[in-house]
């Protein structure tokens, strides 16, 4: 049994999926922003994730608390900045 | 010949694909984690990419080796931490 | 009227679309690269966003100008490096 109708439908589906997925994904991009705060903590808005932190006093030691908060570790600290990114479609 | 059946099926397919692509993409997000290690190297698990590195000793000089390894450059180093992200659908 | 043919076609479409959409989306991933320059600025190529910056002189204080430029802030600076990422299919 050669399922001619089935195969024809499958081919239609495959072409449509390929076209629509690539169109949709072509619009998808990484959206990023910076959030700078006084002190040693900086928090990304909801929906964004921290990708990196920058700190005052030339300090390169930081950690990320939860998914959204940059924490600058050096003893004396004047500002903290979070680089926040998300996928937007 | 007007391909009435073809057109009907095409419409069904297009509607289904549009619905499923947007549902799937709506769930797509940036997934991130931290990997901290003693010494000057920290490695992201496979599937993740390094987006940033943090280092002990307040050191802000680092580089990324391959796609997965943070390398803290300062002379004396106690720990290294990698921020690792990937797209998850 | 129970639209037996319609329902059969709908089921077929739905199953095939689900399979193909996840296959297509599974190929989408985060693509990253490093751009290192002398001085205090490093710039990501177009289409990429800065996720983090690394600086010479152990400097951990940096900021991101526009979406593409790392700026290392410490007084004396010999190199700057940008970690640049984008979504790719």
């Amino acid at each position: 049994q050669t399922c001619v109708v089935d195969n024809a439908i499958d081919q239609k589906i495959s072409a449509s999926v390929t076209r629509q997925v690539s169109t949709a994904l072509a619009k998808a991009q990484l959206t990023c922003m910076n959030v700078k705060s006084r002190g040693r903590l900086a928090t990304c808005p909801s929906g964004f994730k921290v990708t990196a932190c920058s700190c005052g006093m030339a300090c390169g030691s930081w950690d990320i608390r939860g998914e959204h908060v940059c924490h600058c570790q050096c003893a004396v600290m004047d500002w903290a900045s979070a680089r926040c990114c998300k996928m937007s479609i």
Side-chain angles (χ1 to χ4, degrees), chain A:
Chain A
Q1 202 208 13
T2 57
C3 309
V4 172
V5 172
D6 281 57
N7 296 342
I9 291 174
D10 277 340
Q11 269 175 18
K12 279 179 178 292
I13 291 170
S14 171
S16 173
V17 167
T18 309
R19 205 174 42 246
Q20 294 205 37
V21 164
S22 27
T23 312
L25 284 181
K27 286 183 232 141
Q29 57 171 330
L30 203 57
T31 301
C32 299
M33 60 182 290
N34 309 312
V35 175
K36 186 174 181 182
S37 308
R38 283 219 298 236
R40 64 177 65 253
L41 298 178
T43 303
C44 288
S46 134
F48 286 81
K49 300 276 174 70
V50 173
T51 61
C53 309
S54 176
C55 305
M57 307 290 188
C59 172
S61 299
W62 45 266
D63 55 280
I64 298 170
R65 297 178 170 179
E67 279 300 317
H68 304 286
V69 181
C70 276
H71 168 242
C72 292
Q73 299 181 356
C74 298
V76 178
M77 191 45 54
D78 51 355
W79 58 264
S81 178
R83 182 60 169 171
C84 313
C85 295
K86 68 172 183 178
M87 262 172 61
S88 49
I89 314 291

